[in-house]
Amino acid sequence: MRIERIEHPQDLSQLVEQDIVQLSVQKAGTLCIALPGGRSAQYIVKGLLSVDKDIQKRIRLYLVDERLEGEHNLDTLVQAGLTDAFALSQLSIPVPGEELPPSLFDRVYLGVGEDGHFASLFPGSWPEQEKVQVKVIDRSPKPPNRRATFTFYGFSTLAAQSRIVMLFFGEGKRDALARLLGGKEQADTLPCAFFRDKRFSTLIITDLKE
């Protein structure tokens, strides 16, 4: 794992722009990008909107989780301006029962919560037994109750060749980041440790000072 520290969360936008431009040079054809909802998504969206239009046409976006009640993560992306450039046909939400091709994702951007969760995979959700890429959560420990999320199995199959970018923004994430770097917990109590323990290519971006 590598850590990149930035001054402000807004600085993420430029890093995303640079990353996607570099990816577009390294890979021909469709660029498959997984992204979160929540506050961090607005900076990722800004970065995506900054790349050349020809690159934007090659991008296919995948939400890593979606709320099935209340305000949807898709709504936050639209409010951030995503559909100014991307047709809805370029954006997919997780569908239970759907099977996507292995190693589909080229980049996975994930916001990490105070408890170390990502997508809608909270402490206590590992190990999972079902071999499905997407599942429905009916009793989320964080509102709303019902969510659809990519699973640990889904990430292990879809992101096997991807760079994982985990975002720890704000003082409230300091403890989760320290626990991750401490290396004493596994994914059952700290879900984001999944990417460390499974040896994904992982980049941590944070505005927290050492």
Side-chain angles (χ1 to χ4, degrees):
M1 291 189 304
R2 184 168 65 87
I3 301 179
E4 185 157 348
R5 299 183 187 273
I6 58 179
E7 287 295 320
H8 306 286
Q10 296 92 318
D11 298 336
L12 174 63
S13 299
Q14 185 175 4
L15 295 181
V16 170
E17 178 185 2
Q18 294 170 349
D19 186 34
I20 298 303
V21 170
Q22 182 181 45
L23 176 62
S24 72
V25 174
Q26 296 171 341
K27 181 192 176 186
T30 304
L31 310 176
C32 296
I33 313 298
L35 73 167
R39 289 171 292 181
S40 298
Q42 62 181 308
Y43 307 119
I44 300 172
V45 168
K46 184 177 179 181
L48 293 172
L49 294 176
S50 299
V51 303
D52 186 85
K53 299 294 184 184
D54 289 337
I55 298 176
Q56 289 179 1
K57 292 176 182 177
R58 295 169 52 194
I59 293 175
R60 182 67 186 264
L61 299 171
Y62 297 82
L63 261 174
V64 298
D65 68 331
E66 181 56 294
R67 302 173 180 185
L68 301 180
E69 301 171 338
E71 184 180 28
H72 294 148
N73 285 334
L74 177 59
D75 296 333
T76 65
L77 298 179
V78 171
Q79 291 168 8
L82 188 67
T83 52
D84 290 348
F86 294 89
L88 289 180
S89 61
Q90 290 176 260
L91 176 65
S92 297
I93 61 174
V95 177
E98 182 180 34
E99 281 291 317
L100 299 173
S103 298
L104 174 67
F105 297 152
D106 297 300
R107 291 289 186 275
V108 177
Y109 294 97
L110 296 170
V112 179
E114 289 85 351
D115 58 0
H117 84 268
F118 63 93
S120 289
L121 299 175
F122 295 90
S125 57
W126 169 272
E128 59 187 15
Q129 303 301 321
E130 60 266 61
K131 299 297 184 181
V132 295
Q133 292 178 347
V134 179
K135 68 179 180 181
V136 172
I137 295 177
D138 289 315
R139 295 182 179 179
S140 167
K142 179 180 179 180
N145 283 329
R146 299 192 71 248
R147 301 159 174 255
T149 183
F150 282 109
T151 64
F152 290 105
Y153 173 78
F155 284 107
S156 69
T157 56
L158 296 170
Q161 304 300 318
S162 174
R163 176 184 295 168
I164 309 297
V165 182
M166 292 197 290
L167 309 173
F168 291 80
F169 290 152
E171 195 60 36
K173 310 297 176 64
R174 183 177 294 278
D175 181 62
L177 179 57
R179 291 163 62 193
L180 175 64
L181 298 179
K184 296 181 179 180
E185 293 183 74
Q186 298 178 317
D188 57 339
T189 59
L190 190 72
C192 62
F194 169 77
F195 295 107
R196 180 200 65 208
D197 296 343
K198 297 299 181 181
R199 300 190 181 280
F200 284 81
S201 173
T202 304
L203 171 65
I204 293 170
I205 299 179
T206 182
D207 62 345
L208 296 168
K209 302 295 187 293
E210 292 186 84

